């Protein structure tokens, strides 16, 4: 499952004094994506903003990338599919 990836995200977060969400958002940014994040309250906005202004190291990126490759990929049913 995703437990090993979450464990690596948590390890990086703990080492950097960040949240898992901040590390995940920053990881997406470092991979060249523009994450579209949502927030339901001011605390979540602050948490999201904590993903900015720093970058994961190459070693951290390699660890997270390797952990993500180990996550099983399955087909996702499209609920809008008609046939």
């Amino acid at each position: 499952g995703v437990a090993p990836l979450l464990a690596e995200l948590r390890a990086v977060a703990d080492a950097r004094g960040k949240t898992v969400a901040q590390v995940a958002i920053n990881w997406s940014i470092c991979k060249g994506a523009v994450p579209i994040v949502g927030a339901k309250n001011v605390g979540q906005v602050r948490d999201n903003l904590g993903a900015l202004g720093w970058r994961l190291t190459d070693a951290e990126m390699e660890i997270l990338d390797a952990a993500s490759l180990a996550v099983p990929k399955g087909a996702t049913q499209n609920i809008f599919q008609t046939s």
Side-chain angles (χ1 to χ4, degrees), residues 16-76:
R16 287 187 161 267
K18 301 288 184 184
T19 67
V20 169
Q22 289 168 340
V23 173
I25 293 167
N26 191 277
W27 180 30
S28 296
I29 293 168
C30 288
K31 292 183 75 60
V34 178
I36 300 172
V37 297
K40 293 183 180 181
N41 57 54
V42 174
Q44 290 176 344
V45 172
R46 286 190 187 111
D47 192 34
N48 292 344
L49 289 173
L52 305 176
W54 58 280
R55 293 186 66 82
L56 292 166
T57 66
D58 289 343
E60 291 167 330
M61 291 288 295
E62 288 174 15
I63 289 167
L64 295 176
D65 287 345
S68 74
L69 290 174
V71 173
K73 308 322 183 257
T76 302

